Amino acid sequence: MKRALRAMSRMMKGMASVRANSGACAVTIMLTVLLPGAAPAGDSIVIGGKIFTEAYVLGEIAAQTVEASSTVPVTRKLGMGSTGILFEALKSGAIDVYSDYTGTLAEAILKKPDLKSLDEIRAALGALDLTISGSLGFNDTYALAVKESFAEQHQLHTIGDLIPIQSGVRAAFSYEFMDRKDGYPGLVNNYHLAFDTQKVSRMEHSLSFQAIDQNAVDLIDVYSTDAKIKKLHLRLLKDDHNYFPVYQAVWVASKSFVAEHPREWQALLALEGRISETAMLDMNAQADIQKIPFNKIAAQFLGSEARNSEGWWQEVGRRTREHLWLVGVSLLFSVLVGIPLGIAAVRFHATGQAILLSSAIIQTVPSLALLCFLIPVFGVGTKPALAALCLYSLLPVVLNTFTGIRAVNPIHLENARAFGLNRRQVLFRVVLPLASPTLLAGIKTATIVSIGTATLAALVGAGGYGAPIVSGLALNDVHTILTGAIPAALMALVAHGIFELLGVVLIPAGLRRRS
Amino acid sequence: MKRALRAMSRMMKGMASVRANSGACAVTIMLTVLLPGAAPAGDSIVIGGKIFTEAYVLGEIAAQTVEASSTVPVTRKLGMGSTGILFEALKSGAIDVYSDYTGTLAEAILKKPDLKSLDEIRAALGALDLTISGSLGFNDTYALAVKESFAEQHQLHTIGDLIPIQSGVRAAFSYEFMDRKDGYPGLVNNYHLAFDTQKVSRMEHSLSFQAIDQNAVDLIDVYSTDAKIKKLHLRLLKDDHNYFPVYQAVWVASKSFVAEHPREWQALLALEGRISETAMLDMNAQADIQKIPFNKIAAQFLGSEARNSEGWWQEVGRRTREHLWLVGVSLLFSVLVGIPLGIAAVRFHATGQAILLSSAIIQTVPSLALLCFLIPVFGVGTKPALAALCLYSLLPVVLNTFTGIRAVNPIHLENARAFGLNRRQVLFRVVLPLASPTLLAGIKTATIVSIGTATLAALVGAGGYGAPIVSGLALNDVHTILTGAIPAALMALVAHGIFELLGVVLIPAGLRRRS
Amino acid sequence: MLELQNIYKTFEDRAVLVDVNLMVPKGATHALIGSSGSGKTTLLRITLGLIPFDKGYVKINGHALLSFTPVEWADRIGYVPQDGGLFPHITARNNVALIAKLRGWGKSKIDERVEELRKIVDLDAEILGRFPREMSGGQKQRVAIMRAAMMDPAVMLLDEPMAALDPLIRSSLQQELKSIFQRLNKTVLLVTHDLGEAVFLAEQITMLHEGRMVQTGAYGDLLLRPASPFVTQFINAQRTLPDAGDVR
Amino acid sequence: MLELQNIYKTFEDRAVLVDVNLMVPKGATHALIGSSGSGKTTLLRITLGLIPFDKGYVKINGHALLSFTPVEWADRIGYVPQDGGLFPHITARNNVALIAKLRGWGKSKIDERVEELRKIVDLDAEILGRFPREMSGGQKQRVAIMRAAMMDPAVMLLDEPMAALDPLIRSSLQQELKSIFQRLNKTVLLVTHDLGEAVFLAEQITMLHEGRMVQTGAYGDLLLRPASPFVTQFINAQRTLPDAGDVR
Ligand SMILES: Nc1ncnc2c1ncn2[C@@H]1O[C@H](COP(=O)(O)OP(=O)(O)OP(=O)(O)O)[C@@H](O)[C@H]1O
Ligand SMILES: Nc1ncnc2c1ncn2[C@@H]1O[C@H](COP(=O)(O)OP(=O)(O)OP(=O)(O)O)[C@@H](O)[C@H]1O
Ligand SMILES: [Mg+2]
Ligand SMILES: [Mg+2]
């Protein structure tokens, strides 16, 4: 049991760390229509953010900065899936500002990796009606790290300082760093380093921290603001050749936001250059290692009081909204798509068999595999979760629609035609009302299955009740699990109640029994 | 995507390695009745086996030994979940023989960890109508390992040999080993070792292999027949004080098997003392590292020709049987329990609401969480998978039974009573036939959802199509994934076809439409 | 002997039956006539114990409805519902034979009995293999009569059993039933809108109007000594065929 | 004018209608009588275009069934199915008003028309709010007649529309219908087992037997110049009330 829990927790982490997935491209028609990125922005300023520590911290900093400079309410949409999703959200106005890195913008959004300077990137984004601030002050890129003690011993400050001791250095580099042209090969070239290849090993990134801590190696590659740098007392070696690509942190905003809220944008711009690498590293460490809430970290940085930490009720409220959104959309989908498919299945025999078969086959794809397959298409976040939920909710609705309609006594159809109802009218006035109990049972099954399956959505960062369940399972913390599991069960209860009521409203009185 | 896959693979491994889970105790009433351990033995000799490499190898050796000495056909049931499951299977006659370790038998089955000698254990098992062979020749227990090169350098052969260099040894021990009384604390005591505690670290077991390989440490704890010992060129240090508990490998058999098949039992006994630690370690390495099929390894060991490796068709056939068993039992459950619950829900109003609600709430427990919660109750293997599948298949059946019955025109019930049908007869002659289309749709939904959900069963070692899907996801090997996914889809197709036929047989002709 | 004493019944506060008293001696046939919606069908359903009623007693041979199990009670009574009430999912033959099968009759005994009844109601043998939705209105009605008679019950309740039959079959069936009722000493309560049928089959007639009994008596009483002008009106309303003489 | 020419219909190889020819001039009422299962209901369903047939033509005013859309055709014809055929899920009022609503009639116009029809069939206003399962057989039948008449169609097909009505309501309804048919010049095809009703309402009568037309003509023709002995037998089978003189 414990091992299973631990394995699950590792899995969650693996999934959450899928960072800048391009995704969100080959969207199937139906689903794009249904999924407008996220809920619309409305009258508040919406701060977005990606799903890793640094993005949470920066998002909280942005939110509190705007709150301090404005009376417009601020909505936080932190922990969104991928660069692609945030970009779409920005374009559609679902969010107003978020933090990103110049390198990522150039590569993932502009698809021009050779754009380096802030001005070039800002100009290119202009064409998309977006803009960026100047650098916030730090560069989150590759860096080389050694232990403080080791650095002291050998007087290491820059990468170049490694040359005198190069033949004796034991290095462990990540597979990615070793393989990328702009990683190890270029580095050695650029700095004319000559490590003893016997002493350079490839290692899983997370293991290399362990290795350097245990003095098994002397030098590793890191992201320059990784919290572990602080935790393990490592020193970053200065890249004085500016060899590594630049990943300056910036605010990304839509031009319309800048135009409509100049004051707030100015407040954000005032942060330019204010967040040093050390400061960022510090804040990441506070979050990752000391587990201080993001809002506290941001408040401390900004020198203001933390707004009250999100209370239990608030968290449950937010999770409820997220979960409702997931279940609601898939419910809508199953009604708007499943019922017509069920009707079509009755009307056209061969097509009908095909429809019933496909909805059956979709159901056999296990949820984890389906989510894995949907990630390349939809990225991480709400979309793949919604897509999976929609697909899963089809079978009960299609099958019950089909069955319900087939069970309608044909004499009623004959009479309806005799009285001059056309096909549509026969369908809506006679067939569907008479089939409504069975139909409603199918929708109810789909909804309740969705409430359960939607907890899996947390695996792709879509939030909802799954988030506490998943982290609770990871931490082996029953209390946290229940924070998600009990509201999910309650939602099923409420859904049950709503369907009882719907039964009263939708099932024609003439079919109901007085018992 | 890749990371997600990797994370899943890690998870599977984590779950599969839950080794000797006591489990199988607090079985709920209904489910025990439905789950007779595994399929019955019949006229063949059934060789069981647990779900880790060594158990597969030994199982294959036993199977081939019996095959060579007997004309009775041999059935392999390797990869079963836990000690508890194998024990139950042995008692009920579902299997005849399997391999286990004296320590495990004493602890997990006899609950008398102080029984040490083979004779004591055999005597105690006798009371349960079981018996064991003598030791097969090796002891799979804790051991200390160092690198060959390190051993050469310091002339290390026994644990005692560490004393001269004890203050300089860098050791990494697993958490379990450090914490168990009969692990590190007792060891130091027993051998009067005085390691430099600064140099002794705790480490995840799998990481310690990595650490010793990278010369970060010099000494680690291992299981004495772990394949990695060979792979990483480690040397085991002899426990010349016999400090570590003994885990002698033995055959465990039911007395009835010994009585009915004395010749075959003799053939198995002939293997006593024949499998040395080195030989076992070698075979484990062949399986784990060289990926040689178990049957080849066993055949080579026994000096006979390997029987033909299980072909693609045979594997699919076996997976199909396993999957059918999972789906079949849960289907049976949903029919035998779901339909009566649905009927009860119609008959008693308050109870009805309670039934509908509970089946809805069960559905909201996410499958991974449910499996995790069921493992402590049912152990690993088919049982928790079946329990989960049964629970999940309830809602569609209960809800459609309820809805179908409620939709029956009450005039038919009134007439039935007027003609003198009693309650049972009204139910079976009128209500159920008239509700049968809706009912059947519910069972069909449940079945097809089960076919999909049953692939999750592989996570708890229950086999089925999930096994290739899960290992395919782990290896990122689409071909292997499809080996499971396509048959699962086909099974859904066949299920669809069968339900069409069932419709013809079960739905009264008077209700069917000629179209 | 079938007795209904002081029956009151309301549907959602509307009185549907008010103080109805009826006594059908063993072996007698009693006709229930009255305007549409006057409560005739409701009275039969109450007699069968199918719906609860507010006040009164229903008795067979002096034993009250409540002293029997529903099955025992139903076994004593054969019933033809107003609309035939065939089960839609089984064939005509199975509709007729259902109870006999459940009571363990042998196949040959069932076949014999079905054949006997089939001849009485003059139905084509082939029709027995059909489902209700494949039969004409009159065919369904005849199957319903067969079903009610199948177990040869002592009491029969017939709700407009021949309304959908053509005159030819109807009159021959009336003949058959009359002789059966007399020969086998059946106690019969018959609802009909056909006064001719009522007079032909029943010794006593009760007229119901808006849930109340207007009059009970032989046809002669109703005709010659009507309890109210409504009775006379009702009887005279029956449209008769013009005589041959009145026709060009 | 409603014309049926050379209609043939088989159900699973059993001939149900064989060469049926029928001509109902505009404004005329035609009665269809015949034994149970002779194909009367089937003929009406064919006329309505509800079931396919094997041969022949159905025409209104010279235009064939096939030259209309089903909705256009249905709009020309009012229909009372044999069993009433009310939709179970809506109230009696909604059953009656359904088509008018779909055709966009205003509420007051609908209410007026419903009220008018309600008076004709002599139904309690309160009953219109009930669902079919809460009505008596005769009440349902009257609602079915209201529904058929609602849109004031030029052609009406009535399948035993008054079989479940008591003599009093039946005869007054017959009066009403007759005057409506004449006043509004309706073309009517009426199936009935009540010869009195057929003679009272229809100028021409067609007798069907086992799917074939036995005779078409006025009542006098059937009575005085029967095409076969069966016709005479059929007419004489109608059981009449004993005269007052024959009664004690
Ligand atoms: N389930 C019900 N709910 C409410 N009212 C009902 C119900 N069943 C019958 N009624 C009403 O009770 C009264 C008596 O109905 P009943 O069916 O007994 O009449 P009936 O004498 O059989 O009429 P008919 O000759 O038309 O069949 C009618 O007014 C009817 O509308
Ligand atoms: N769906 C069907 N399948 C097979 N046979 C049918 C079907 N519908 C009607 N029949 C048969 O066709 C014949 C004519 O039926 P129809 O209903 O037209 O008779 P009818 O003249 O209306 O009789 P009734 O006076 O009893 O209502 C009958 O023998 C009937 O059994
Ligand atoms: Mg009635
Ligand atoms: Mg008919």
Side-chain angles (χ1 to χ4, degrees), chain B residues 412-426:
Chain B
H412 297 311
L413 307 189
E414 182 174 313
N415 283 335
R417 280 196 291 137
F419 298 123
L421 276 70
N422 62 28
R423 282 187 157 230
R424 256 179 58 88
Q425 291 164 342
V426 172

Tab-separated table of all heavy atoms in Angstrom, chain B residues 412-426:
chain	number	residue	atom	x	y	z
B	412	HIS	N	-50.248	-3.202	-16.461
B	412	HIS	CA	-49.850	-4.600	-16.623
B	412	HIS	C	-49.660	-5.277	-15.263
B	412	HIS	O	-49.978	-6.446	-15.091
B	412	HIS	CB	-48.569	-4.700	-17.439
B	412	HIS	CG	-48.706	-4.184	-18.825
B	412	HIS	ND1	-49.742	-4.559	-19.657
B	412	HIS	CD2	-47.946	-3.313	-19.542
B	412	HIS	CE1	-49.613	-3.944	-20.813
B	412	HIS	NE2	-48.542	-3.173	-20.777
B	413	LEU	N	-49.145	-4.515	-14.312
B	413	LEU	CA	-48.974	-5.076	-12.971
B	413	LEU	C	-50.339	-5.373	-12.376
B	413	LEU	O	-50.563	-6.426	-11.762
B	413	LEU	CB	-48.235	-4.079	-12.081
B	413	LEU	CG	-46.920	-3.555	-12.625
B	413	LEU	CD1	-46.202	-2.758	-11.549
B	413	LEU	CD2	-46.075	-4.722	-13.077
B	414	GLU	N	-51.262	-4.436	-12.565
B	414	GLU	CA	-52.599	-4.621	-12.012
B	414	GLU	C	-53.247	-5.865	-12.618
B	414	GLU	O	-53.791	-6.709	-11.903
B	414	GLU	CB	-53.425	-3.363	-12.316
B	414	GLU	CG	-54.805	-3.449	-11.728
B	414	GLU	CD	-55.581	-2.154	-11.903
B	414	GLU	OE1	-55.022	-1.085	-11.625
B	414	GLU	OE2	-56.752	-2.243	-12.314
B	415	ASN	N	-53.133	-5.970	-13.938
B	415	ASN	CA	-53.717	-7.145	-14.583
B	415	ASN	C	-53.070	-8.419	-14.078
B	415	ASN	O	-53.759	-9.410	-13.804
B	415	ASN	CB	-53.562	-7.050	-16.099
B	415	ASN	CG	-54.572	-6.071	-16.688
B	415	ASN	OD1	-55.628	-5.833	-16.109
B	415	ASN	ND2	-54.235	-5.502	-17.828
B	416	ALA	N	-51.758	-8.395	-13.946
B	416	ALA	CA	-51.062	-9.596	-13.490
B	416	ALA	C	-51.592	-10.017	-12.132
B	416	ALA	O	-51.849	-11.202	-11.885
B	416	ALA	CB	-49.556	-9.334	-13.417
B	417	ARG	N	-51.790	-9.031	-11.257
B	417	ARG	CA	-52.319	-9.380	-9.948
B	417	ARG	C	-53.745	-9.893	-10.066
B	417	ARG	O	-54.145	-10.836	-9.389
B	417	ARG	CB	-52.251	-8.176	-9.014
B	417	ARG	CG	-50.846	-7.996	-8.440
B	417	ARG	CD	-50.869	-7.082	-7.248
B	417	ARG	NE	-51.179	-5.721	-7.651
B	417	ARG	CZ	-52.015	-4.928	-7.017
B	417	ARG	NH1	-52.646	-5.348	-5.938
B	417	ARG	NH2	-52.232	-3.698	-7.445
B	418	ALA	N	-54.497	-9.277	-10.969
B	418	ALA	CA	-55.880	-9.709	-11.141
B	418	ALA	C	-55.951	-11.165	-11.576
B	418	ALA	O	-56.896	-11.873	-11.251
B	418	ALA	CB	-56.568	-8.828	-12.175
B	419	PHE	N	-54.921	-11.628	-12.323
B	419	PHE	CA	-54.974	-13.005	-12.792
B	419	PHE	C	-54.320	-13.978	-11.837
B	419	PHE	O	-54.156	-15.150	-12.159
B	419	PHE	CB	-54.345	-13.109	-14.185
B	419	PHE	CG	-55.098	-12.279	-15.167
B	419	PHE	CD1	-54.472	-11.293	-15.897
B	419	PHE	CD2	-56.460	-12.449	-15.313
B	419	PHE	CE1	-55.186	-10.507	-16.765
B	419	PHE	CE2	-57.185	-11.664	-16.186
B	419	PHE	CZ	-56.555	-10.697	-16.906
B	420	GLY	N	-53.922	-13.477	-10.662
B	420	GLY	CA	-53.475	-14.410	-9.640
B	420	GLY	C	-51.998	-14.708	-9.655
B	420	GLY	O	-51.562	-15.714	-9.104
B	421	LEU	N	-51.182	-13.877	-10.295
B	421	LEU	CA	-49.734	-14.062	-10.180
B	421	LEU	C	-49.290	-13.538	-8.821
B	421	LEU	O	-49.739	-12.478	-8.376
B	421	LEU	CB	-49.001	-13.287	-11.288
B	421	LEU	CG	-48.866	-13.992	-12.646
B	421	LEU	CD1	-50.220	-14.069	-13.323
B	421	LEU	CD2	-47.854	-13.289	-13.524
B	422	ASN	N	-48.406	-14.285	-8.161
B	422	ASN	CA	-47.869	-13.764	-6.912
B	422	ASN	C	-46.707	-12.815	-7.200
B	422	ASN	O	-46.316	-12.638	-8.352
B	422	ASN	CB	-47.459	-14.907	-5.970
B	422	ASN	CG	-46.366	-15.777	-6.566
B	422	ASN	OD1	-45.564	-15.305	-7.369
B	422	ASN	ND2	-46.341	-17.037	-6.183
B	423	ARG	N	-46.156	-12.229	-6.139
B	423	ARG	CA	-45.130	-11.198	-6.321
B	423	ARG	C	-43.976	-11.665	-7.196
B	423	ARG	O	-43.515	-10.968	-8.081
B	423	ARG	CB	-44.557	-10.788	-4.963
B	423	ARG	CG	-45.470	-9.858	-4.231
B	423	ARG	CD	-44.793	-9.346	-2.971
B	423	ARG	NE	-45.446	-8.105	-2.613
B	423	ARG	CZ	-44.829	-6.969	-2.346
B	423	ARG	NH1	-43.514	-6.920	-2.393
B	423	ARG	NH2	-45.493	-5.889	-2.064
B	424	ARG	N	-43.475	-12.845	-6.858
B	424	ARG	CA	-42.368	-13.399	-7.642
B	424	ARG	C	-42.741	-13.532	-9.098
B	424	ARG	O	-41.979	-13.200	-9.997
B	424	ARG	CB	-42.049	-14.802	-7.120
B	424	ARG	CG	-40.811	-14.935	-6.270
B	424	ARG	CD	-40.687	-16.392	-5.846
B	424	ARG	NE	-40.637	-17.230	-7.042
B	424	ARG	CZ	-39.502	-17.521	-7.677
B	424	ARG	NH1	-38.366	-17.050	-7.235
B	424	ARG	NH2	-39.516	-18.287	-8.751
B	425	GLN	N	-43.942	-14.065	-9.314
B	425	GLN	CA	-44.364	-14.300	-10.694
B	425	GLN	C	-44.577	-12.988	-11.430
B	425	GLN	O	-44.232	-12.859	-12.596
B	425	GLN	CB	-45.630	-15.163	-10.697
B	425	GLN	CG	-45.350	-16.590	-10.239
B	425	GLN	CD	-46.599	-17.341	-9.862
B	425	GLN	OE1	-47.659	-16.742	-9.612
B	425	GLN	NE2	-46.496	-18.662	-9.799
B	426	VAL	N	-45.162	-12.008	-10.737
B	426	VAL	CA	-45.325	-10.698	-11.373
B	426	VAL	C	-43.951	-10.190	-11.792
B	426	VAL	O	-43.748	-9.714	-12.912
B	426	VAL	CB	-45.990	-9.692	-10.413
B	426	VAL	CG1	-45.970	-8.293	-11.017
B	426	VAL	CG2	-47.413	-10.112	-10.101
